[in-house]
């Protein structure tokens, strides 16, 4: 198939491009080479057109004969403050809107969209007595007392996490999450109006070789990895019991290949995860043990707005896309302990 790949120079996009080519697809890579992501002097990889997805005419010239667009280009992170809002809105949402309009004009009706677990907000929880509940926000008093679990809104007991499936309500809690949710909504509306098909892939915590170094927009894997490289030990917030799903970038690439090759109709969304939940403490411990460095430090500090647990249900992607992650995070994180980072 002929695939237009946006964000082709990025940490995830470059691996998606390699996997698509290996699977025999004809890939046209585009990337705007944002300095915030690539540094001021970075050169695009060979075969990558330097194009902004907000530039309709530049896109139009590349879309002829394209069977499917694989849209990885995005401004990432959680957003540092409100000043980031125009950037998320412009690159992620306006960019997607332009892309969808040009796809329509060029009769390309199939989109694979990089989405994120952040669209779910704070995950799903069960009360031992009241079953599935929407938990209360964590109170400052609890957090200061070292009570990090959410509480049941009916009885006040602490609640347990459960797997998040794709039918969970979308409750974005950050600028980035708002932009990813809006991307999904634009894509869904386009699929209906244009009789197109969209596969939204909701990535969980992605890690792997050539991940960007620690920045104010980085997730915890890059932060821990950068701390170790500079001779510090990982600083684990709360009690380290926060649960996540860490998925290797090569598995994310494989999920994209499966989505590109699938026969989707309308809009559908899938968790892209390893299916092997892991605590933040274990992430830090695996990295430290692999390097033979000192153990992580549990600080008991907390960050406002952090999600306590968010753990993906892998069943739908397995059933409908045939996607099964190959890399167990306990192995992948040990390899990541020494993997090169992007400067
Ligand atoms: C992260 C990203 C999110 C992305 C998602 C999936 C950020 C801020 N969040 O969400 O945008 O879509 O992964 O890839 O980029 N922690 C520590 N020590 C630290 C830093 C963090 O213990 O030095 C803890 C946090 O308190 C939190 C957990 O690690 O409990 C995960 O943090 P982080 O990776 O920043 O956020 P996610 O919610 O997983």
């Amino acid at each position: 198939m002929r695939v237009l790949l946006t964000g082709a120079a990025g940490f995830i996009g470059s691996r998606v491009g390699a996997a698509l080519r290996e699977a025999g697809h004809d890939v046209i890579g585009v990337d705007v080479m944002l300095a915030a992501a690539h540094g001021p002097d970075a050169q695009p990889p060979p075969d990558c057109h330097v194009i902004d997805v907000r530039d309709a005419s530049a896109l139009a010239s590349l879309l002829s004969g394209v069977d499917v667009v694989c849209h990885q280009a995005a401004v990432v992170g959680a957003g540092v403050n409100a000043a980031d809002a125009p950037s998320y809105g412009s690159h992620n949402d306006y960019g997607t809107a332009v892309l969808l309009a040009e796809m329509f004009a060029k009769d390309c009706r199939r989109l694979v969209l990089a989405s994120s677990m952040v669209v779910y907000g704070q995950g799903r929880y069960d009360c031992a007595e009241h079953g599935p509940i929407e938990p209360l926000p964590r109170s400052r008093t609890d957090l200061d007392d070292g009570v990090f679990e959410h509480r049941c809104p009916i009885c006040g007991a602490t609640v347990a996490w459960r797997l998040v499936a794709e039918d969970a309500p979308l409750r974005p809690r950050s600028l980035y999450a708002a932009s990813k949710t809006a991307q999904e909504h634009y894509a869904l509306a386009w699929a209906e109006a244009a009789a197109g098909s969209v596969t939204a892939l909701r990535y969980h915590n992605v890690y792997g070789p050539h991940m960007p170094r620690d920045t104010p927009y980085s997730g915890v894997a890059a932060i821990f990895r950068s701390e170790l490289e500079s001779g510090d030990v990982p600083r684990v917030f709360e009690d380290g019991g926060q649960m996540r799903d860490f998925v290797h970038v090569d598995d994310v690439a494989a999920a994209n290949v499966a989505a590109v090759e699938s026969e989707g109709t309308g809009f559908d969304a899938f968790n892209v995860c390893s299916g092997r939940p892991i605590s933040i403490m274990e992430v830090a411990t695996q990295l430290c043990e692999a390097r033979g460095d000192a153990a992580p430090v549990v600080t008991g500090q907390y960050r406002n707005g952090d999600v306590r647990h968010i753990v993906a249900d892998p069943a739908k992607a397995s059933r409908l896309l045939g996607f099964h992650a190959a890399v167990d995070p306990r192995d992948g994180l040990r390899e990541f302990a020494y993997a090169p980072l992007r400067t």
Side-chain angles (χ1 to χ4, degrees):
M1 260 182 289
R2 194 169 172 83
V3 184
L4 181 79
L5 173 66
T6 74
F11 160 54
I12 296 175
S14 57
R15 301 297 271 229
V16 172
L20 285 169
R21 288 188 179 100
E22 248 169 60
H25 299 291
D26 175 17
V27 178
I28 307 163
V30 305
D31 202 297
V32 70
M33 299 302 294
L34 283 181
H38 298 275
D41 306 318
Q43 295 300 313
D47 304 331
C48 178
H49 301 263
V50 179
I51 277 177
D52 191 328
V53 290
R54 297 170 298 180
D55 180 346
S57 58
L59 272 181
S61 66
L62 294 176
L63 272 167
S64 295
V66 164
D67 300 297
V68 47
V69 172
C70 186
H71 185 30
Q72 307 292 321
V75 174
V76 298
V80 173
N81 60 41
D84 287 326
S87 174
Y88 286 115
S90 179
H91 286 284
N92 297 0
D93 299 327
Y94 178 65
T96 299
V98 172
L99 177 63
L100 292 170
E102 290 312 306
M103 287 173 68
F104 181 71
K106 292 287 178 182
D107 213 21
C108 175
R109 293 288 187 273
R110 175 118 184 83
L111 176 72
V112 174
L113 174 68
S115 186
S116 168
M117 70 179 203
V118 293
V119 299
Y120 297 125
Q122 61 181 358
R124 303 199 98 175
Y125 297 86
D126 273 344
C127 171
E129 195 179 341
H130 299 103
I133 47 86
E134 185 64 34
L136 294 170
R138 299 189 292 171
S139 72
R140 178 64 61 97
T141 313
D142 268 354
L143 291 165
D144 286 341
D145 288 348
V147 178
F148 297 113
E149 300 300 344
H150 282 280
R151 290 186 184 276
C152 173
I154 305 164
C155 65
T158 55
V159 294
W161 61 269
R162 63 190 178 108
L163 295 181
V164 180
E166 290 82 352
D167 60 357
L170 304 191
R171 299 236 168 86
R173 302 169 79 233
S174 70
L175 295 170
Y176 172 62
S179 76
K180 282 281 146 190
T181 308
Q183 273 187 318
E184 285 201 12
H185 287 161
Y186 276 107
L188 185 151
W190 174 86
E192 301 231 328
S197 106
V198 176
T199 305
L201 299 176
R202 294 177 180 158
Y203 303 161
H204 284 254
N205 294 67
V206 186
Y207 69 95
H210 305 293
M211 195 171 185
R213 275 173 207 281
D214 180 12
T215 74
Y217 301 90
S218 297
V220 70
I223 294 172
F224 286 170
R225 176 68 181 73
S226 301
E227 282 170 335
L228 285 167
E229 190 151 287
S230 56
D232 294 330
V233 292
R235 291 161 47 78
V236 175
F237 300 152
E238 305 186 12
D239 57 0
Q242 307 94 298
M243 296 300 292
R244 293 289 188 278
D245 188 309
F246 278 74
V247 58
H248 193 277
V249 67
D250 286 344
D251 281 324
V252 174
N256 275 276
V257 174
V260 161
E261 293 176 351
S262 71
E263 296 284 323
T265 51
F267 176 94
D268 215 351
F270 298 92
N271 286 327
V272 174
C273 61
S274 74
R276 290 112 161 163
I278 189 167
S279 71
I280 296 300
M281 184 62 190
E282 197 179 352
V283 170
T285 303
Q286 293 288 350
L287 291 170
C288 286
E289 283 183 3
R291 290 179 68 104
D293 286 333
V297 173
V298 180
T299 68
Q301 292 167 298
Y302 59 87
R303 296 189 309 196
N304 291 327
D306 260 348
V307 170
R308 175 61 181 170
H309 307 293
I310 178 149
V311 185
D313 186 339
K316 184 179 171 188
S318 159
R319 199 173 65 248
L320 298 181
L321 289 181
F323 166 70
H324 307 272
V327 184
D328 187 310
R330 281 138 193 109
D331 302 327
L333 286 163
R334 286 177 167 264
E335 172 219 78
F336 179 62
Y338 279 108
L341 296 178
R342 198 205 287 156
T343 43

